[in-house]
Amino acid sequence: MKHPYENLPDRAFWRSGVVFTDRETWPDLYVPSTLLAQDAEVALFGSEFARAFGQTLQERGGHVVYSERLSTPRQMRELIEDSFLEAVHPALFAERDGCFFDLLRSEMTHDGAETLRAAVEMRRAHLSRMADQFHRCETLILSLCQTEGMIDPETGRSFGATGDLLPATAKHHRFSAKEVASDLRRIHKMLRANNPHLRLILMVDPVPITETRSGAHVLSANTRAKATLRAAVGELAMERGSVDYFPAYEMVTTWAADVDAFEDDLSTVHPAMMEAVVSMFCEAHVGGSEK
């Protein structure tokens, strides 16, 4: 009987895949299921890391058509659902200093609307843009960073806004691995039903969470969050042929890397590392080979 690990590629072994490999470019760390056309439209959703990734990709000639900040998979799921249903929730807006703000968005791209009606119309226009992006983009990259969020107890919706905009009734919630996996399956199902040719690429944000309401030390809470997300995206990538997992998390956080991972604040990815991450992505999708 042959040894079960006989004749496997170098990437399958720690010695050849880690110890004696190029720990800057990491050959064969990422082998996508499908190559991307050089002019393929890419939409990015996720954290600040996703935005920085998109900017670097754009500088290298990638065609990034949209980028939006999101924290949890649940926020992405609800955004897609609202976009396809054209659903706006007037109760989920907040007034501050005479202006109205959308509580479901993670970033404030304006100074607020003068009336609730105007704020609702801004939300409606945003959902229309999202529906168009989901329908026509060829590749969607979703970078997952957090498993903690604030929930509206009446509607069950995930707030995107933070700070003093949140109502006093907002409840803290830690998403379980089961919830994250369920949200990701729903996200993939909705996207593919609307756009059968869309490819989904998942990442786990290597940037640590900066705060926690879990009661645990932030170092332990960060490990739990990243482990939960990594397990869930791994399951989906194994189940669905139109889903790839891009190992930015592994590349940035491994102690074996030959490139500095973070700047002095230990939370901002070093530009050299970001360049290495995007280089690996581009090489795999344009110059590399498929699985």
Side-chain angles (χ1 to χ4, degrees):
M1 179 179 177
K2 290 185 177 180
H3 192 282
Y5 292 91
E6 187 177 355
N7 298 323
L8 292 178
D10 287 349
R11 68 187 184 205
F13 302 96
W14 187 262
R15 185 176 177 82
S16 53
V18 177
V19 179
F20 294 111
T21 193
D22 183 340
R23 295 197 296 269
E24 181 175 342
T25 62
W26 294 102
D28 293 333
L29 177 58
Y30 177 53
V31 183
S33 59
T34 301
L35 303 183
L36 301 181
Q38 197 159 11
D39 59 347
E41 293 190 349
V42 177
L44 286 110
F45 292 81
S47 61
E48 286 300 321
F49 175 79
R51 178 168 295 179
F53 181 94
Q55 290 173 345
T56 306
L57 183 61
Q58 186 88 8
E59 292 168 1
R60 292 179 60 91
H63 191 191
V64 180
V65 295
Y66 192 80
S67 177
E68 170 131 350
R69 183 181 174 188
L70 296 165
S71 296
T72 65
R74 182 63 55 83
Q75 282 183 276
M76 184 66 180
R77 170 181 171 174
E78 292 175 348
L79 175 61
I80 296 171
E81 290 172 339
D82 286 350
S83 298
F84 291 161
L85 296 174
E86 299 182 355
V88 179
H89 308 273
L92 299 178
F93 290 81
E95 181 183 5
R96 185 178 66 185
D97 299 329
C99 294
F100 291 84
F101 297 89
D102 184 352
L103 292 178
L104 298 183
R105 297 199 67 179
S106 296
E107 55 187 343
M108 295 299 153
T109 57
H110 56 85
D111 295 326
E114 294 183 356
T115 65
L116 175 59
R117 181 176 180 178
V120 168
E121 288 307 310
M122 292 175 69
R123 173 69 176 178
R124 201 179 306 279
H126 174 63
L127 293 177
S128 178
R129 291 193 299 272
M130 291 298 92
D132 180 63
Q133 289 296 336
F134 297 142
H135 179 72
R136 70 185 183 89
C137 76
E138 300 165 67
T139 300
L140 189 148
I141 300 176
L142 176 58
S143 178
L144 308 175
C145 63
Q146 179 62 281
T147 57
E148 294 184 42
M150 301 300 291
I151 305 293
D152 176 43
E154 293 188 9
T155 64
R157 298 300 303 267
S158 296
F159 289 119
T162 58
D164 59 357
L165 280 175
L166 290 180
T169 56
K171 300 295 184 182
H172 177 259
H173 183 73
R174 297 177 78 192
F175 291 96
S176 67
K178 183 177 180 180
E179 288 176 305
V180 172
S182 176
D183 286 339
L184 290 176
R185 291 187 180 99
R186 178 65 176 161
I187 288 168
H188 181 250
K189 183 177 181 179
M190 288 188 293
L191 289 174
R192 291 281 288 183
N194 177 70
N195 183 352
H197 302 293
L198 179 143
R199 295 204 63 81
L200 179 62
I201 299 176
L202 299 172
M203 298 191 294
V204 173
D205 189 337
V207 175
I209 63 174
T210 57
E211 56 192 6
T212 180
R213 294 189 61 178
S214 65
H217 190 286
V218 68
L219 188 62
S220 295
N222 179 68
T223 299
R224 177 201 179 271
K226 304 303 182 180
T228 298
L229 296 171
R230 180 63 183 90
V233 300
E235 283 189 18
L236 190 67
M238 287 191 296
E239 294 173 0
R240 313 290 170 90
S242 56
V243 178
D244 279 316
Y245 171 69
F246 177 65
Y249 177 79
E250 286 82 351
M251 189 175 181
V252 175
T253 62
T254 178
W255 49 264
D258 281 343
V259 180
D260 289 338
F262 296 103
E263 297 191 31
D264 292 342
D265 61 3
L266 300 182
S267 63
T268 302
V269 176
H270 195 282
M273 176 58 79
M274 181 63 75
E275 181 65 29
V277 169
V278 175
S279 293
M280 182 171 72
F281 180 87
C282 293
E283 176 61 25
H285 274 289
V286 179
S289 58
E290 298 172 284
K291 291 179 183 175

